[in-house]
Amino acid sequence: QTNCIIWVEGPSDRIYLNHWIKSVPINLIEGLHYSIMFYGGKLRSHLTANDPEIDDFISLRRLNRYISILIDKDTSEEGKIKRRTVSRLQQEFNKGPGFAWITKGREIENYIEPDILRNAVEKINKSAIPFLNFGIEDNRLKYIKNGKEYTLDKIKIAREVVKYDTNLKI
């Protein structure tokens, strides 16, 4: 059994977290020291960190006592409605052992340096570059071209981004 489980919304979060963990000078091994599991953003309302008495929720602490969770801030209107669930999870996880990390930006992609993200996007889809926004609360992978909305493939972009050195100061 792994020493700690980090719960994330999806595969691109796992790609970024593993990249960042490997960039620090400690030798943590995925599968031994930590494992990263997916909960899928829409499923978070069915999760709990602490309350085994609530049968409707999946108790994550029953799977592993040392847990953390990464939750996108999601500044969309739909995301604002989910604040109660996010607040509940944050309180439960922060009771420990473990913690909740709510991104300051809209999602994990907002922690990628704009130049690195721009380079990655250019390799995946050159036509998207002039239409992307790189603000802290922007959906950095959504672009509008000729009045039509497109979203870049998060996993392809993540795999390209991790080819670059990371900046953990962001």
Side-chain angles (χ1 to χ4, degrees):
Q1 185 179 32
T2 188
N3 289 333
C4 174
I5 297 177
I6 305 168
W7 291 91
V8 299
E9 290 187 29
S12 63
D13 296 336
R14 178 179 174 267
I15 293 168
Y16 290 122
L17 278 179
N18 274 324
H19 178 63
W20 295 336
I21 289 169
K22 289 174 184 166
S23 72
V24 294
I26 54 175
N27 293 320
L28 295 178
I29 300 168
E30 185 179 15
L32 177 63
H33 299 111
Y34 69 97
S35 289
I36 299 176
M37 303 294 293
F38 309 133
Y39 66 87
K42 294 180 181 179
L43 298 177
R44 77 177 134 228
S45 64
H46 300 284
L47 303 176
T48 183
N50 294 326
D51 197 347
E53 299 300 319
I54 301 176
D55 292 333
D56 291 343
F57 290 158
I58 299 166
S59 178
L60 299 179
R61 282 211 201 277
R62 285 186 183 172
L63 300 175
N64 190 301
R65 197 167 164 226
Y66 301 99
I67 57 174
S68 293
I69 192 168
L70 167 61
I71 301 173
D72 291 337
K73 180 179 177 185
D74 192 4
T75 55
S76 68
E77 287 305 311
E78 185 180 316
K80 290 177 185 175
I81 295 168
K82 297 174 186 170
R83 285 288 149 241
R84 278 182 290 179
T85 298
V86 170
S87 180
R88 176 184 57 79
L89 285 171
Q90 185 175 28
Q91 289 174 11
E92 290 176 2
F93 273 80
N94 287 347
K95 286 180 184 175
F99 63 93
W101 172 22
I102 314 299
T103 60
K104 287 186 182 177
R106 185 180 188 281
E107 53 199 358
I108 201 163
E109 284 80 10
N110 297 88
Y111 286 87
I112 308 303
E113 288 184 73
D115 288 341
I116 290 174
L117 187 59
R118 192 175 285 111
N119 289 340
V121 169
E122 191 171 301
K123 289 189 178 181
I124 304 299
N125 184 342
K126 289 183 185 205
S127 69
I129 293 294
F131 303 103
L132 290 175
N133 295 307
F134 292 98
I136 191 71
E137 295 195 1
D138 288 328
N139 180 340
R140 289 187 171 184
L141 301 183
K142 182 178 96 176
Y143 65 102
I144 298 172
K145 183 177 178 181
N146 300 328
K148 193 171 180 184
E149 188 175 296
Y150 301 91
T151 302
L152 293 161
D153 185 310
K154 291 178 86 142
I155 297 170
K156 285 182 182 177
I157 296 296
R159 286 189 179 134
E160 188 61 37
V161 164
V162 299
K163 293 178 182 176
Y164 297 87
D165 289 335
T166 189
N167 177 359
L168 296 177
K169 293 179 182 174
I170 296 179

